[in-house]
């Protein structure tokens, strides 16, 4: 797939317009330069491309299918809803797409250890999996609140051989886990590499993670034609840092007749601390080494954020999303906790697919959108992950509905 956009964005300094870049302490300048150079070299290397193709096909289980959600479509009435099934990717979410590639890169650089943060635990599980497969050590930083909420993933990471380090400061969720992982990386930069879990962080990570995730969009473009013999009219994905969204958007970015919609979590309400809708309520600022749109408190520091989806409660967003949103190429959709829980149960009971709470935000938005469109229109939802990790939390807090839809 040739795309002029993907080949020219970001620029050589990692900027998407004014967003992106690299704001890092001097001690990290050389390691990030090494990562960038290694990636530039690897992406042109036939061995790297072949190795990635091999693991995707024979280990991850790609390509993942696109399913037509017939019952959900009938229930909503209106546009046809299709699902790109990243829940069927090994480890149950899209994250392995970039983790396998990041660990190949780490190996290429001669590193012994991979370090990362995790929110819902999906990135941690994916990275621990990739590290096990390629024989590297793995250190995962996770907020204490998320450790309590995402117990099954914590156990999975431990079984896979990863070391878990709890982030105990502040709100004890994703942002604090990133702070903690960065600090640890700085102290052992010779032997390790920081594997960022989304299209965020300093250059080259937003570009690299997008490129690794673009397999979702490349597959989708071909597969959707099998169903409808044309492009989808709308592509919908939830946005935390924005990697699953950028992955699927990448396949359609040059097709300007395809609406690309990133869904942000409205959580419990509009006040600061109740949501994590960065693009909707944020302003320009630098956090975690890159310039983007972020939610700030009164002091200009990263604001507290919340969403029922632990993987999407992040106070900033990938710089490419900030750019594409400002340029108008992508649009933002909103979904609150209540709508996400409703979509979680509807998709489970109507389609036999238990979605991750993060992905349920995209499903909920698609359900609202479908109702406003005629039946010859189509919506492709990126179902970023499966919901096994969320089942204990959700049944305890939001009882299973006993109505038949
Ligand atoms: C991590 C995660 C997300 C959010 O991350 P993005 O980088 O925004 O894609 C969404 N869905 C699932 C299932 C996740 O694990």
């Amino acid at each position: 797939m040739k795309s002029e956009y993907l080949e020219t964005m970001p620029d050589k300094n990692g900027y998407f317009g004014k967003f992106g870049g690299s704001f890092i302490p001097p001690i990290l300048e050389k390691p990030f330069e090494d990562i960038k150079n290694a990636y530039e070299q690897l992406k042109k290397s036939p061995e790297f491309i072949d190795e990635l193709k091999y693991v995707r096909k024979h280990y991850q289980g790609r390509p993942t299918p696109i399913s037509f959600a017939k019952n959900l479509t009938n229930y909503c009435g209106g546009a046809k809803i299709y699902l790109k099934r990243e829940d069927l990717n090994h480890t149950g979410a899209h994250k392995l797409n970039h983790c396998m590639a990041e660990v190949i890169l780490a190996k290429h650089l001669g590193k012994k250890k991979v370090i990362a943060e995790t929110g819902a635990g999906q990135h941690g599980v994916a990275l621990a999996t990739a590290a096990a497969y390629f024989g590297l050590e793995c250190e995962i930083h996770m907020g204490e609140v998320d450790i309590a909420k995402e117990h099954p993933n914590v156990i999975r990471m431990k079984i896979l051989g990863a070391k878990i380090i709890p982030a105990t400061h502040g709100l004890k969720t994703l942002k604090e886990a990133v702070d903690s992982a960065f600090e640890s990386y700085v102290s052992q930069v010779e032997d390790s590499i920081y594997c960022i879990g989304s299209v965020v962080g300093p250059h080259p990570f937003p570009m690299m993670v997008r490129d690794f995730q673009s397999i979702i969009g490349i597959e989708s473009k071909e597969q959707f034609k099998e169903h409808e013999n044309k492009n989808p009219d709308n592509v919908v994905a939830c946005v935390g840092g924005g990697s699953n969204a950028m992955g699927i958007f990448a396949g359609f970015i040059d097709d300007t007749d395809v609406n690309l919609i990133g869904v942000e979590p409205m959580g419990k309400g509009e006040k600061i601390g109740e949501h994590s809708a960065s693009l909707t309520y944020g302003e320009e600022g630098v956090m975690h080494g890159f310039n983007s749109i972020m939610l700030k408190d009164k002091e200009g520091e990263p604001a507290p954020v919340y969403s029922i989806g632990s993987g999407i409660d992040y106070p900033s967003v990938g710089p490419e999303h900030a750019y594409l949103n400002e340029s108008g190429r992508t649009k933002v959709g909103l979904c609150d906790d209540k709508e996400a829980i409703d979509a979680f149960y509807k998709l489970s009971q109507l389609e036999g697919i238990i979605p991750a709470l993060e992905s349920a935000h995209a499903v909920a938005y698609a359900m609202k959108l479908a109702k406003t469109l005629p039946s010859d229109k189509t919506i492709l939802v990126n179902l970023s992950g499966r919901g096994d990790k969320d089942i204990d939390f959700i049944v305890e807090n939001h009882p299973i509905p006993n109505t038949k839809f």
Side-chain angles (χ1 to χ4, degrees):
M1 189 187 71
K2 272 253 171 271
S3 159
E4 195 186 315
Y5 171 84
L6 294 175
E7 273 164 31
T8 53
M9 290 300 247
D11 70 15
K12 67 179 181 7
N13 297 317
Y15 278 93
F16 303 88
K18 63 184 173 182
F19 301 111
S22 180
F23 299 80
I24 48 179
I27 184 179
L28 290 182
E29 275 168 19
K30 168 87 173 49
F32 270 80
E33 195 60 31
D34 291 347
I35 293 171
K36 198 178 83 193
N37 293 337
Y39 177 60
E40 290 300 337
Q41 197 191 343
L42 278 181
K43 88 175 171 192
K44 293 187 209 107
S45 143
E47 289 83 28
F48 173 70
I49 294 165
D50 283 350
E51 187 168 13
L52 208 52
K53 271 194 187 149
Y54 182 91
V55 295
R56 280 176 176 165
K57 179 168 177 194
H58 299 290
Y59 182 73
Q60 284 181 234
R62 304 205 68 90
T64 58
I66 285 181
S67 307
F68 174 41
K70 183 163 168 264
N71 299 329
L72 189 69
T73 297
N74 287 341
Y75 172 82
C76 294
K80 289 187 191 172
I81 302 173
Y82 286 88
L83 310 167
K84 173 63 171 165
R85 302 290 306 281
E86 289 304 294
D87 59 313
L88 295 177
N89 199 24
H90 179 44
T91 74
H94 66 288
K95 297 225 167 60
L96 201 61
N97 297 335
H98 65 252
C99 286
M100 292 305 272
E102 284 180 334
V103 177
I104 298 175
L105 185 86
K107 234 179 36 167
H108 178 83
L109 283 164
K111 306 292 184 186
K112 295 192 196 71
K113 189 194 244 185
V114 289
I115 300 176
E117 81 293 340
T118 195
Q122 293 300 98
H123 178 54
V125 167
L127 193 63
T129 301
Y133 181 85
F134 289 109
L136 268 69
E137 286 173 53
C138 180
E139 177 184 306
I140 302 294
H141 296 252
M142 189 167 185
E144 264 185 345
V145 168
D146 291 333
I147 289 181
K149 186 162 148 197
E150 307 287 353
H151 184 67
N153 270 348
V154 176
I155 303 294
R156 284 163 88 199
M157 285 186 273
K158 288 186 180 165
I159 291 173
L160 290 162
K163 186 171 159 198
I164 313 292
I165 302 194
T168 55
H169 68 289
L171 286 179
K172 307 182 179 82
T173 63
L174 187 56
K175 182 201 158 281
E176 291 75 22
V178 178
D179 297 340
S180 169
F182 244 107
E183 218 171 277
S184 175
Y185 174 49
V186 169
S187 74
Q188 46 185 333
V189 72
E190 282 301 314
D191 288 337
S192 65
I193 176 172
Y194 185 5
C195 292
I196 294 176
S198 187
V199 285
V200 299
H203 182 57
F205 280 93
M207 169 183 74
M208 236 167 48
V209 173
R210 173 200 70 193
D211 292 352
F212 296 148
Q213 287 295 345
S214 66
I215 187 65
I216 304 174
I218 294 168
E219 287 175 8
S220 293
K221 191 161 185 161
E222 252 188 63
Q223 293 168 318
F224 199 80
K225 292 220 163 82
E226 276 179 46
H227 286 281
E228 291 279 343
N229 208 19
K230 59 175 186 178
N231 275 334
D233 298 300
N234 302 279
V235 173
V236 176
C238 67
V239 175
S243 67
N244 86 87
M246 267 329 300
I248 197 160
F249 290 176
F252 303 98
I253 195 94
D254 295 321
D255 302 314
T256 47
D257 54 334
V258 180
N259 299 318
L260 306 175
I261 304 155
V263 181
E264 294 200 307
M266 275 308 294
K268 293 176 193 158
E270 292 178 1
K271 289 203 205 80
I272 275 289
E274 291 183 336
H275 64 82
S276 15
S278 322
L279 286 169
T280 306
Y281 294 101
E283 49 191 306
E284 193 176 341
V286 174
M287 195 184 90
H288 292 151
F290 64 104
N291 184 44
S292 186
I293 298 289
M294 62 184 268
L295 293 166
K296 295 180 184 174
D297 64 15
K298 287 199 189 76
E299 282 76 48
E301 294 298 311
V305 282
Y306 163 82
S307 163
I308 193 167
S310 298
I312 45 178
D313 60 352
Y314 186 62
S316 184
V317 64
E320 191 164 12
H321 283 288
Y323 167 74
L324 289 171
N325 184 51
E326 202 170 89
S327 75
R329 176 64 190 96
T330 59
K331 295 272 182 294
V332 176
L334 293 170
C335 164
D336 63 22
D337 278 9
K338 233 172 127 249
E339 293 166 324
I341 295 160
D342 176 60
F344 174 91
Y345 281 123
K346 292 253 161 60
L347 195 71
S348 298
Q349 302 192 355
L350 290 170
E351 297 292 340
I353 299 169
I354 303 176
L357 280 171
E358 294 80 3
S359 324
H361 286 71
V363 175
Y365 183 81
M367 289 167 64
K368 292 192 278 189
L369 180 62
K371 288 176 193 164
T372 69
L373 297 173
S375 60
D376 62 341
K377 293 290 178 194
T378 55
I379 304 172
L380 175 62
V381 178
N382 195 13
L383 199 73
S384 53
R386 67 175 185 230
D388 304 41
K389 66 185 176 61
D390 298 314
I391 57 178
D392 290 340
F393 173 81
I394 201 153
V395 294
E396 259 167 50
N397 296 282
H398 306 281
I400 300 168
N402 54 13
T403 45
K404 193 76 196 140
F405 301 122

